[in-house]
Amino acid sequence: MIAQRYARGMYIRRTSRRSRTGVTLLSLAALLVPACSSGGSTSSASPAAAQAALAALPSATPPALASYYGQKLRWRGCGAPGFECATMKAPLDYAHPDAGDVRLAVTRKKATGPGERLGSLLVNPGGPGGSAAGYLQQYAGIGYPAEVRARYDMVAVDPRGVARSEPVECLDGREMDAYTQIDGTPDDQRETDGLVGAYKKFAEGCGAHSARLLRHVSTIETARDMDILRAVLGDRRLTYVGASYGTFLGATYAGLFPERVGRLVLDGAMDPSLPARQLNLDQTAGFEAAFRSFAKDCARRSDCPLGTRPGDVGGNLKAFFSRLDARPLPTGDPAGRRLTESLATTGVIAAMYDESTWEQLREALTAALRDKDGAGLLVLSDSYYERDAEGGYSNLMFANAAVNCLDLPSAFDGPDAVRKALPAFRKASPVFGEGLAWAALNCTYWPVAPTGEPHRIEAKGAAPIVVVGTTRDPATPYRWARALSRQLSSARLLTYDGDGHTAYGRGSACVDSTINTYLLHGKPPASGKRCT
């Protein structure tokens, strides 16, 4: 089935480009916002809750948190040359700081010079559930513009419950294989029961293996962890670049600590004021828009396996999915997995995040349609789920669900609600709508009740914040960037007129120079600036 998660835009972009030079596609960005509940919550927040603004915390550090803010990190060499790692402590429960700690993995690469050091630049690739430490070591610490790396210590912290920071665990590899193959577009009650059973088993596994953490992995808690890290690093204000879900995390930080905002870049922005169902519907339409760009590009190429007219591509792909629903294709997988409709759909959606992956998708679809070989689409699906060749999975999907299920009330309260919403989702995307609607059910049976609600983030008093939106972004639709820029009191909207997810580092000299100027000199763009 299609798992729901936000997109980790810069991570996919870099790994997908490297894949064309022979490096395995490491990870692909995330899908829908599966706002979760304990089973019976409403489908959206009340109007009053939706209109509320995130309140700033007191500027003075509470005495109960003084030991956390005053801790000293013990750095040690790790990974590639030049990188250091340390462990930072944060309270498991900010309401009860004496209830125990959570230990967070921090990574940095010090400024290389020349030029005056500007402090620390914290980066987050999104998810939720993406390893920021892994992202720093694999890309940002070596791939960010040299002039930025020269002036800033590049820093990342895996959020609580993610990767090296006491990871949430739910299912083993075999169980995850079964979970990802379950029919995500049920045709009858038996298949509906199977899908609900899979969601319940996933949730029960998380509750059984990660009970201590599951109530304390919210975005607000992670934002508060970031403020401890800022202080521990010796920075008066936070400088930060967040992609996709990382924009929600960065905006949340700004709302909680507006006076501590330094230079914030929120790339591939989210709208925190929307309830889950609307977020899901908007994102479904975003993937449809991205697919239409792919269809147009594919149809004009001689090797397009889905037809020579853009209008035919979607129908032919949908027909292919229907055939897989009845008869999955062989893949040559050592574990015996066949290409199901769910795995194929995930593989196609994964390729929508970056147009540089479209060639790989065409090749995979050609092999599946012409040669009845599903291996190529399985590779794309596995990269999305972060499944390795030995059948192991990272904890990305577990942390993703745990954070999303805590942050918002449920999009749906059961299968009947999904069925009622199917026409709207099919209208938003004839190809993907049905699967994405059912995917929004995945947290309905979560063992922990949500603690968050939709809200505006104004961050009154914050320094200028750069919000970046891409006009044909599949995972974080451009309207979300416009909405967030209108909420944040000091936002400057930077628009990238293009395809793919996020904008910084995608090859637009205009975008890159604008953001670099802001990071290096503190000069934000005029709001409304557009780049190609």
Side-chain angles (χ1 to χ4, degrees):
M1 85 187 73
I2 303 167
Q4 302 174 65
R5 54 188 174 114
Y6 303 108
R8 294 179 296 123
M10 292 182 285
Y11 206 2
I12 169 157
R13 180 167 62 255
R14 292 299 172 178
T15 53
S16 63
R17 285 179 177 171
R18 285 185 290 171
S19 70
R20 295 190 293 175
T21 62
V23 178
T24 301
L25 185 63
L26 294 178
S27 63
L28 286 163
L31 284 176
L32 295 171
V33 184
C36 311
S37 78
S38 58
S41 62
T42 58
S43 62
S44 63
S46 67
Q51 293 302 313
L54 182 65
L57 292 171
S59 57
T61 300
L65 300 180
S67 63
Y68 293 104
Y69 275 83
Q71 67 186 291
K72 303 295 183 183
L73 298 185
R74 299 177 62 181
W75 296 99
R76 63 191 184 282
C78 63
F83 287 94
E84 300 176 303
C85 293
T87 300
M88 187 186 85
K89 292 191 298 183
L92 175 67
D93 182 352
Y94 277 91
H96 303 94
D98 58 351
D101 301 333
V102 60
R103 296 180 179 271
L104 307 177
V106 183
T107 301
R108 77 175 176 188
K109 187 177 184 185
K110 286 190 172 182
T112 56
E116 178 188 2
R117 180 183 174 279
L118 295 175
S120 304
L121 171 56
L122 189 66
V123 295
N124 183 284
S131 172
Y135 168 69
L136 180 68
Q137 293 200 11
Q138 295 176 40
Y139 167 59
I142 55 177
Y144 257 47
E147 58 268 36
V148 173
R149 291 182 285 115
R151 306 283 298 281
Y152 283 101
D153 291 347
M154 301 291 294
V155 180
V157 56
D158 279 347
R160 50 177 63 205
V162 173
R164 307 171 197 177
S165 294
E166 299 193 23
V168 170
E169 298 293 347
C170 301
L171 303 178
D172 63 26
R174 286 182 179 272
E175 291 170 329
M176 275 298 290
D177 277 350
Y179 180 75
T180 60
Q181 294 177 76
I182 199 74
D183 191 338
T185 55
D187 300 315
D188 53 34
Q189 191 59 48
R190 180 184 63 82
E191 291 183 351
T192 300
D193 291 344
L195 181 61
V196 168
Y199 287 145
K200 287 182 177 180
K201 182 175 181 179
F202 185 98
E204 289 166 359
C206 298
H209 296 298
S210 301
R212 175 179 179 268
L213 267 179
L214 226 51
R215 289 176 172 82
H216 298 292
V217 292
S218 69
T219 296
I220 284 180
E221 288 165 309
T222 294
R224 297 190 70 172
D225 295 342
M226 286 166 51
D227 194 56
I228 292 177
L229 179 58
R230 172 204 58 78
V232 169
L233 292 171
D235 293 312
R236 188 171 65 89
R237 296 190 174 192
L238 180 76
T239 298
Y240 173 86
V241 177
S244 198
Y245 164 78
T247 68
F248 180 37
L249 179 57
T252 299
Y253 179 91
L256 295 174
F257 306 103
E259 78 284 359
R260 298 174 191 169
V261 168
R263 301 168 188 178
L264 264 61
V265 177
L266 307 180
D267 185 12
M270 292 190 57
D271 180 357
S273 71
L274 297 177
R277 191 177 302 187
Q278 189 61 51
L279 286 169
N280 287 327
L281 198 58
D282 284 356
Q283 212 170 40
T284 299
F287 278 101
E288 179 66 19
F291 179 74
R292 288 175 183 170
S293 290
F294 165 77
K296 183 177 180 180
D297 178 80
C298 186
R300 66 182 178 83
R301 298 178 183 273
S302 60
D303 64 344
C304 181
L306 294 172
T308 58
R309 295 188 300 178
D312 294 339
V313 172
N316 290 335
L317 181 62
K318 185 67 174 175
F320 170 59
F321 288 159
S322 296
R323 293 195 296 272
L324 288 176
D325 191 27
R327 183 172 297 179
L329 291 179
T331 64
D333 176 59
R337 293 177 301 155
R338 297 173 70 82
L339 183 71
T340 62
E341 178 189 13
S342 293
L343 290 173
T345 304
T346 301
V348 172
I349 284 181
M352 294 299 101
Y353 285 86
D354 187 345
E355 62 271 28
S356 71
T357 317
W358 291 355
E359 179 182 359
Q360 183 181 354
L361 176 59
R362 290 197 309 274
E363 293 171 354
L365 286 168
T366 297
L369 288 161
R370 184 187 66 192
D371 304 326
K372 309 303 179 186
D373 178 3
L377 285 171
L378 185 63
V379 167
L380 283 167
S381 179
D382 282 352
S383 64
Y384 174 86
Y385 286 116
E386 291 196 353
R387 182 191 191 273
D388 62 32
E390 287 70 44
Y393 289 77
S394 77
N395 97 306
L396 170 63
M397 287 300 173
F398 311 143
N400 179 264
V403 175
N404 284 334
C405 292
L406 208 55
D407 274 352
L408 282 176
S410 181
F412 298 113
D413 60 9
D416 288 344
V418 177
R419 292 189 187 99
K420 291 178 182 178
L422 283 177
F425 277 80
R426 289 180 180 131
K427 181 178 180 180
S429 176
V431 178
F432 305 119
E434 185 174 355
L436 296 183
W438 283 105
L441 187 66
N442 80 323
C443 281
T444 301
Y445 311 98
W446 201 245
V448 175
T451 58
E453 292 278 357
H455 53 264
R456 298 191 327 277
I457 300 179
E458 298 174 352
K460 292 180 179 179
I465 298 170
V466 176
V467 175
V468 188
T470 298
T471 56
R472 292 180 295 281
D473 191 316
T476 51
Y478 178 64
R479 69 178 69 179
W480 291 358
R482 288 189 298 179
L484 182 61
S485 70
R486 290 167 183 156
Q487 292 171 45
L488 292 169
S489 62
S490 62
R492 307 289 180 88
L493 177 62
L494 173 63
T495 297
Y496 172 52
D497 187 0
D499 294 298
H501 182 50
T502 73
Y504 188 38
R506 288 190 61 84
S508 168
C510 172
V511 169
D512 292 353
S513 64
T514 300
I515 293 176
N516 291 343
T517 297
Y518 171 63
L519 291 174
L520 294 171
H521 306 292
K523 297 178 180 179
S527 192
K529 181 179 177 68
R530 296 183 71 91
C531 292
T532 57

